[in-house]
Amino acid sequence: MANLAAVVGIGQTKYTTKRDDVSIAGLVREAAQNALDDAGIGWDDIDAVILGKAPDMFEGVIMPEIYLTDALGCNGKPMLRVHTAGSVGGSTALVAASHVQSGAFNRVLTVAFEKQSESNAMWALSNPQPFSTHLNAGAGGYFAPIIREYMRRSNAPDDVGIKVAVKDRLHGARNPLAHLQRPDITMEEVKESFMLWDPIRFLESCPSSDGACAMVIANEELAEQSAKPPAWIRGVAMRSEPTMYAGREEVNPQAGKDCAADVYAQAGITDPRRDLDCAEVYVPFSWYEPMWLENLGFAPEGEGWKLTMEGATSLDEGGDIPWNPSGGVLSSNPIGASGMIRFAEAARQVRGDAGDHQVEGARLALGHAYGGGAQFFAMWVVGADKA
Amino acid sequence: MADQQDTITGIDVPVYLKYNFTAGAGPARFLSQVKNGKLTGQRCPRCQQVYIPPRGSCAACGVATEEELVLPDKATVQSFTIVSIPIPNNPIKPPYIIANLVLDGANISFIHLMSECVNEDVRIGQRVQAVWKPEEEWDYSMDNIRYFKPLDEPDVPVAQIGKLPVSGWEGMSDA
Amino acid sequence: MPESEILNQAFELGYTYTRSTGPVVGRFLTGLRDRKIVGIRASDGRVVVPPMEYDPDTAAELSEFVDVSSEGEIVSWAWVKHPREAHPSTEPFAWAMIRLDGADVPMVHWVQAGDESDLHTGARVRARWADETVGFITDIAGFELV
Amino acid sequence: MRDIAIVAYHQSRAVADAGACNEVEMIMPVLNEVYGQVGINNAQDVDFVCSGSCDYMQGAAFAFVAGVDALGAVPPIKESHVEMDAAWALYESILKIRMGSAESALIYGFGKSSPGELPIVLSQQLDPYYLAPQWIDTVSLAAMQARLLLEQGVITERDMAAVVSRSRRNARQNPNAQLAGDISVDDVLAEETYLSPLRRVDCCPVSDGAAAMIICTEDKAREWGVPYALIRGIDHRIETHHIGMRDLTDSASTRLAAERAGVGDGPVDVAELYAPFSHQELILARALGLGEQTDINPSGGVLAGNLMMASGLARVGEVFNRIVAGEAQRGVAHATSGPCLQHNLVTVVEKA
């Protein structure tokens, strides 16, 4: 029922600890300009801009679309700002897609960013609030107990997280835009790295990055005319549930399962491991790969870690279903952009435009983002074919 | 004067805003009781689940939690992490244990410190009890509990965590 | 159910952000440190102060810097009878849109004046430099009437 | 393009300080009202939910997460959030329905601004290098805008006073208003200036509160069997962030949005304009091409109560209320964001 839409341009910045050569505007602009160049269009060709980022407190700029209007060529155009916590990059892409899928717009630009070096994510996420115990040791402190419970339930060997940490960094080494460039990383090194939030080690955690990601999304007619192959949007889904409620399943959240089922149904996927060629999945802590393998239906419950250990998700081991060929969140994490990077990298794969981290012959890919206490999910499936 | 010729590439920008926070009605009723050393949960009128600390609604049902019940200060470890980095603006020295704890009679966990324990021995299902600050230091805060320490009680099977009655685990074993 | 107490607690949400400026903002701030004000030429030829990085009409990256005077005239203003704590002056003052000589577009800054009646649109003002300039917008410690 | 029906609207009373009431406690009663209006139980009974809020109102990251606690989102729901006024959440929801992935949507906005110093908080939405570090409050920026209008002879102080007087008078009929009463134009003019040229009464109050709306396809509205109004057009536009580059005496973005939304395609019986300052209502009325035949801000507008992050949605809700009450056939609602009307959204609502 929705109009067809496709990604026709992708632009990113090189992810790094601190982009000290640009303003906030300069950072988003660089990704946006790259996306326009990739699409072979100019600023006048854009009908609306949809901006996403995580909490404004990261940069201390309230509702930054107001200040970023000119950097994104928006004077006189519609501009919308999405914020759905860590899933925001994905949600923003979905909201952008809806601008085209609704038939309201022909071609829109969507941009997500974070300039984390302007502050400290740990501060912004753990800001003490009156009358509350101030024990929030950042995102890792929140997710570590959930990972511990997964390990207990699945009886997974202790080195699954280590394996993912190595695998994603090796993938990242193929991607020149990735923040961490660690082609020499070893299991031993990860294992020996500092235990931050037991059972999460330093090298099993995502870095803190500056960066922006942008996409141009166009309607069917324009997408067919585009010079480079479009990535057709085959399914879009989002789900939310409350952060904390009695009886909540935190290890394998229902919202993630429902979201996946929804997006698969739209894309005609019945067996994600078989039907998809690769996936870009939001894995900020290494153990979330096996957890999401199960949540997203790539493996039965309790067996996600087996895929990881078999190398099924590894490009280097010739796995059948590479996860995060770009290096994923473990290699680059500008929080507000991280979800969009997953969506954009999925699109790069099916456009056959992923360079050294290309999954050969990829035709159908999943982009995934989650946020908050793993209660917000956004996903899309993109394909080389329209249907 | 060499500095004088350098181009400015970065600036420090202080952004400090003052707020005067007012607790919501549900949380305020809870905090008033905590000030007196009482842990008061709130029950959802729809699903009957007990929340502590209450946040104003049963998040699952989207309805206000008004019925109150006093809970004991014994809890079960639902999960935990041993943290080796400091919390910004918090004097606790790492490593310390942050545990997700469910009070007896409650159906949801909250996070708090664990202490008086061997870190390696902490486990899911472990029984713990609050160690309170001296009464004269009590305020409108869960920080009135300094930390939780292990109890000499058998572990709670995972399936039972978050489902214990107010009478606790021993009460249940007896029954 | 008992009545809820009103429980208040003040808190501060604060951080000193470390902003990188990029070349355009950096050029302007460097100018301030050196007690000069620099604008930029927009696509339509207008000189904009403080310099914008991107043109509002064409979205083009702007790069032609133009030195402007630290003196100019008030285009509009607002008289702050009761300064707020965060404001740059504890005495009554004016926020103003000031078109500097050599610029086509007004910038917003503050003007020190003894009384509201001393000010009027079109009044001439000049930048008052801070004792120590560091490359920050407050290097202009307000404007004063000429 | 499918017409979208508005089937329910409610807002909390605008109050200066909601006191012992947190976000979720502020939102739940409002949601219950709109559920009741269409006869549904909770957010499970709509296809999509979208909210608008801003973390800095109360000074805590992820304000909207608390909002989800009000929804009964178990099992999980399709939900999204804009860090903007909820009028833009309405916009996002309309796209969702138009693309066919939802038949109905719940939209809500909320803000508890009383804990902070709002005009100073909002200074931090300005350019972070040139303006925000000067802490230029939003009232002062609006005051400079007002002076431009006055000194260029576009409006007079009496015009502004008339806006204030009418707002307070209209607000007497609005049970949700924070400021209402009889104040004549001369009374207004007799008041001393606060932030010259603005008087205190020229500025909206800061209010705590929430607003919610349910929209759906026309088929769904008929199925629910409730009175409804139709959204015939909606558009929004933003302008350059450099204040000096804008013609502050006009609102080019409102003009453009109005044109795209089709404001001029028929008579406008009623208009609810998000004008936080009296002179801005005059700018907006002109930009929207409103004349004598239009009843402007019959609710009193935001000068009578300003639910930050929900006032824009509330304007649409007020127009909806007039139309289903049979007081108007066609109306225009306006929402704004940013300093001096930088970003504007225009909605055309018609009798079904």
Side-chain angles (χ1 to χ4, degrees):
Chain A
M1 193 159 170
N3 294 348
L4 278 174
V7 178
V8 297
I10 295 171
Q12 301 180 61
T13 60
K14 156 77 184 154
Y15 304 111
T16 182
T17 304
K18 184 170 176 68
R19 271 300 298 270
D20 56 9
D21 60 326
V22 288
S23 63
I24 299 169
L27 185 75
V28 297
R29 167 73 172 211
E30 188 176 307
Q33 186 67 59
N34 289 345
L36 296 187
D37 293 348
D38 187 48
I41 58 170
W43 289 99
D44 287 345
D45 299 316
I46 295 298
D47 302 327
V49 176
I50 299 89
L51 182 72
K53 69 174 293 321
D56 292 353
M57 279 158 208
F58 282 162
E59 290 84 4
V61 182
I62 301 178
M63 301 181 209
E65 75 279 5
I66 287 167
Y67 146 68
L68 292 171
T69 306
D70 299 290
L72 295 173
C74 255
N75 189 15
K77 292 178 186 175
M79 196 170 185
L80 195 79
R81 156 75 193 291
V82 179
H83 175 20
T84 64
S87 65
V88 65
S91 311
T92 305
L94 297 183
V95 174
S98 74
H99 277 68
V100 177
Q101 291 170 309
S102 61
F105 295 86
N106 296 327
R107 186 162 39 201
V108 302
L109 172 69
T110 184
V111 187
F113 77 99
E114 211 69 77
K115 201 160 184 309
Q116 290 191 206
S117 66
E118 304 259 319
S119 74
N120 174 311
M122 179 100 166
W123 165 79
L125 294 174
S126 314
N127 205 22
Q129 285 289 300
F131 305 117
S132 305
T133 24
H134 176 42
L135 293 171
N136 305 312
Y142 180 87
F143 290 113
I146 302 173
I147 291 170
R148 180 180 304 279
E149 169 62 11
Y150 171 76
M151 293 165 78
R152 188 199 62 78
R153 278 187 208 181
S154 64
N155 277 314
D158 288 349
D159 55 354
V160 176
I162 297 171
K163 164 114 192 201
V164 175
V166 171
K167 186 256 311 179
D168 278 1
R169 271 49 175 273
L170 292 178
H171 286 176
R174 295 162 170 261
N175 174 9
L177 297 176
H179 178 173
L180 300 183
Q181 293 293 330
R182 295 299 316 276
D184 53 346
I185 196 167
T186 63
M187 297 276 286
E188 201 53 34
E189 184 188 359
V190 176
K191 190 174 183 180
E192 293 306 316
S193 70
F194 191 62
M195 190 65 91
L196 292 172
W197 307 275
D198 193 330
I200 304 176
R201 294 174 178 85
F202 175 70
L203 285 174
E204 293 176 287
S205 313
C206 53
S208 174
S209 317
D210 281 357
C213 178
M215 289 188 283
V216 177
I217 297 176
N219 66 16
E220 184 175 13
E221 190 188 342
L222 291 169
E224 278 176 339
Q225 294 163 10
S226 67
K228 287 173 71 172
W232 296 97
I233 299 169
R234 300 275 299 275
V236 290
M238 57 210 302
R239 284 296 185 283
S240 306
E241 65 184 32
T243 331
M244 285 181 261
Y245 64 90
R248 177 164 185 245
E249 169 53 57
E250 290 181 305
V251 173
N252 194 1
Q254 190 63 41
K257 288 197 232 179
D258 291 0
C259 192
D262 187 355
V263 83
Y264 295 157
Q266 294 170 47
I269 292 167
T270 51
D271 177 347
R273 183 172 177 182
R274 184 195 65 208
D275 298 343
L276 287 162
D277 297 303
C278 58
E280 282 282 343
V281 178
Y282 205 102
V283 176
F285 301 103
S286 57
W287 277 95
Y288 267 87
E289 173 167 306
M291 289 162 69
W292 290 153
L293 278 164
E294 296 169 28
N295 190 246
L296 299 174
F298 287 73
E301 201 162 336
E303 296 182 20
W305 60 271
K306 293 180 184 164
L307 268 65
T308 298
M309 295 313 274
E310 287 161 19
T313 58
S314 164
L315 208 49
D316 297 279
E317 295 177 55
D320 63 291
I321 182 69
W323 268 39
N324 293 320
S326 69
V329 181
L330 284 171
S331 297
S332 318
N333 187 33
I335 296 182
S338 286
M340 189 172 287
I341 299 168
R342 308 279 72 70
F343 279 47
E345 284 290 344
R348 286 182 73 185
Q349 290 290 346
V350 300
R351 296 174 91 198
D353 194 30
D356 285 346
H357 62 281
Q358 177 69 46
V359 175
E360 211 176 315
R363 306 288 296 171
L364 202 62
L366 171 71
H368 162 282
Y370 86 91
Q375 83 263 34
F376 301 118
F377 291 85
M379 301 179 199
W380 81 5
V381 170
V382 282
D385 307 305
K386 273 188 202 176
Chain B
M1 289 305 282
D3 282 355
Q4 281 293 309
Q5 274 134 43
D6 288 346
T7 302
I8 301 282
T9 58
I11 52 176
D12 289 346
V13 184
V15 180
Y16 290 79
L17 292 163
K18 288 178 180 155
Y19 292 87
N20 187 19
F21 178 89
T22 305
R29 293 199 308 277
F30 163 78
L31 293 167
S32 304
Q33 300 283 344
V34 159
K35 177 113 170 55
N36 302 322
K38 263 192 227 160
L39 299 170
T40 315
Q42 294 180 10
R43 196 193 305 272
C44 173
R46 196 169 294 176
C47 69
Q48 305 301 317
Q49 302 285 299
V50 174
Y51 284 79
I52 187 165
R55 300 198 300 164
S57 75
C58 164
C61 301
V63 299
T65 50
E66 293 177 349
E67 186 197 337
E68 299 185 345
L69 67 164
V70 176
L71 302 177
D73 65 357
K74 290 184 179 181
T76 308
V77 176
Q78 186 185 54
S79 194
F80 66 96
T81 177
I82 305 166
V83 186
S84 304
I85 50 171
I87 299 171
N89 307 312
N90 189 315
I92 305 169
K93 295 272 176 293
Y96 51 90
I97 295 186
I98 303 280
N100 304 57
L101 304 172
V102 198
L103 285 180
D104 295 350
N107 304 108
I108 190 161
S109 67
F110 56 87
I111 61 167
H112 214 298
L113 281 176
M114 263 182 78
S115 197
E116 284 189 51
C117 54
V118 181
N119 288 357
E120 288 67 36
D121 290 349
V122 176
R123 59 202 178 272
I124 292 170
Q126 189 170 19
R127 296 285 294 157
V128 294
Q129 183 163 22
V131 174
W132 295 77
K133 287 181 180 171
E135 194 171 336
E136 56 275 18
E137 290 178 30
W138 287 354
D139 202 350
Y140 298 98
S141 169
M142 275 296 264
D143 291 339
N144 292 350
I145 297 176
R146 205 187 287 284
Y147 53 80
F148 283 78
K149 66 170 184 188
L151 265 180
D152 188 20
E153 288 184 15
D155 286 4
V156 176
V158 171
Q160 293 296 322
I161 299 173
K163 292 174 184 161
L164 300 190
V166 176
S167 55
W169 177 227
E170 286 189 317
M172 204 160 153
S173 323
D174 295 345
Chain C
M1 186 179 69
E3 278 295 297
S4 300
E5 277 185 81
I6 300 286
L7 300 179
N8 290 312
Q9 197 171 307
F11 73 102
E12 187 176 60
L13 176 70
Y15 199 86
T16 298
Y17 290 87
T18 49
R19 305 212 184 286
S20 49
T21 60
V24 173
V25 176
R27 172 76 178 260
F28 175 74
L29 296 178
T30 304
L32 293 186
R33 189 197 58 201
D34 301 340
R35 299 172 190 245
K36 286 181 204 143
I37 300 177
V38 65
I40 205 160
R41 196 176 300 282
S43 303
D44 62 4
R46 285 190 292 175
V47 174
V48 186
V49 182
M52 298 180 75
E53 296 184 76
Y54 306 98
D55 189 82
D57 295 326
T58 64
E61 232 176 288
L62 299 176
S63 57
E64 188 190 338
F65 294 98
V66 182
D67 288 331
V68 301
S69 171
S70 57
E71 221 178 284
E73 71 171 47
I74 293 179
V75 172
S76 188
W77 51 287
W79 182 250
V80 184
K81 211 183 277 183
H82 309 287
R84 293 169 183 271
E85 199 183 331
H87 278 164
S89 168
T90 52
E91 296 298 313
F93 70 98
W95 289 112
M97 297 172 71
I98 300 159
R99 186 167 46 239
L100 297 171
D101 298 342
D104 298 293
V105 169
M107 68 179 282
V108 176
H109 216 288
W110 67 283
V111 177
Q112 186 198 35
D115 190 83
E116 183 176 356
S117 60
D118 296 341
L119 285 179
H120 61 93
T121 299
R124 298 283 301 170
V125 291
R126 81 172 145 245
R128 221 166 37 146
W129 295 102
D131 293 341
E132 191 195 355
T133 54
V134 295
F136 202 69
I137 190 67
T138 52
D139 285 350
I140 301 174
F143 282 75
E144 60 195 2
L145 289 161
V146 175
Chain D
M1 209 85 76
R2 292 161 96 176
D3 283 325
I4 308 284
I6 305 174
V7 288
Y9 171 72
H10 189 75
Q11 71 160 80
S12 51
R13 204 160 62 82
V15 293
D17 183 350
C21 181
N22 64 18
E23 287 95 337
V24 66
E25 290 165 341
M26 209 152 65
I27 297 164
M28 280 187 298
V30 176
L31 296 185
N32 284 331
E33 283 290 336
V34 292
Y35 298 153
Q37 287 175 26
V38 293
I40 60 175
N41 290 317
N42 57 26
Q44 297 291 339
D45 297 334
V46 294
D47 301 327
F48 181 66
V49 180
C50 198
S51 62
S53 69
C54 173
D55 288 349
Y56 272 94
M57 296 298 114
Q58 186 156 349
F62 305 115
F64 67 94
V65 177
V68 176
D69 286 355
L71 299 172
V74 178
I77 59 172
K78 297 176 186 170
E79 187 265 349
S80 191
H81 172 260
V82 294
E83 192 85 352
M84 305 177 82
D85 186 283
W88 278 270
L90 169 66
Y91 188 86
E92 182 179 330
S93 302
I94 288 172
L95 296 176
K96 268 279 189 291
I97 295 180
R98 287 199 170 145
M99 72 183 269
S101 70
E103 290 283 304
S104 58
L106 167 69
I107 299 109
Y108 65 98
F110 61 98
K112 193 175 180 186
S113 320
S114 58
E117 187 183 358
L118 187 64
I120 287 296
V121 169
L122 291 180
S123 72
Q124 299 307 301
Q125 66 183 1
L126 303 170
D127 182 306
Y129 314 96
Y130 302 149
L131 295 179
Q134 295 192 62
W135 300 94
I136 302 171
D137 59 281
T138 41
V139 185
S140 296
L141 289 170
M144 288 193 277
Q145 181 182 37
R147 186 180 302 278
L148 285 169
L149 287 155
L150 291 167
E151 293 187 349
Q152 291 179 20
V154 184
I155 61 168
T156 64
E157 289 197 46
R158 185 158 279 275
D159 296 334
M160 291 168 65
V163 168
V164 175
S165 174
R166 170 169 42 70
S167 160
R168 296 290 175 91
R169 191 171 60 243
N170 287 351
R172 288 183 313 180
Q173 310 302 317
N174 178 0
N176 296 319
Q178 185 174 337
L179 300 175
D182 271 317
I183 174 168
S184 72
V185 171
D186 289 325
D187 291 341
V188 172
L189 291 173
E191 290 203 7
E192 61 169 342
T193 58
Y194 155 59
L195 222 157
S196 167
L198 296 180
R199 295 174 170 81
R200 221 172 253 283
V201 289
D202 288 312
C203 312
C204 64
V206 176
S207 319
D208 290 346
M213 176 178 284
I214 296 176
I215 63 169
C216 60
T217 60
E218 229 181 323
D219 286 347
K220 187 76 187 171
R222 281 191 285 264
E223 183 191 317
W224 272 332
V226 291
Y228 62 93
L230 294 172
I231 294 175
R232 293 287 197 196
I234 186 165
D235 195 271
H236 68 106
R237 303 280 152 170
I238 197 166
E239 295 177 40
T240 173
H241 83 282
H242 196 299
I243 298 243
M245 293 293 273
R246 288 168 53 194
D247 174 3
L248 294 179
T249 66
D250 192 10
S251 179
S253 51
T254 302
R255 214 174 271 284
L256 186 55
E259 191 187 306
R260 298 301 173 94
V263 170
D265 296 350
V268 180
D269 302 327
V270 60
E272 282 281 345
L273 312 181
Y274 191 164
F277 302 93
S278 60
H279 66 277
Q280 292 181 342
E281 185 188 296
L282 300 165
I283 295 174
L284 291 168
R286 224 160 14 101
L288 290 162
L290 304 179
E292 290 289 307
Q293 77 287 359
T294 304
D295 187 4
I296 295 179
N297 286 339
S299 70
V302 296
L303 290 178
N306 183 19
L307 305 175
M308 278 303 289
M309 314 318 291
S311 274
L313 181 68
R315 306 278 66 70
V316 184
E318 289 289 350
V319 171
F320 160 74
N321 282 345
R322 303 288 152 191
I323 290 174
V324 294
E327 293 165 24
Q329 301 276 317
R330 186 168 187 272
V332 168
H334 159 269
T336 198
S337 175
C340 299
L341 305 173
Q342 187 187 339
H343 191 182
N344 298 284
L345 180 144
V346 175
T347 311
V348 177
V349 186
E350 287 182 18
K351 184 174 185 287

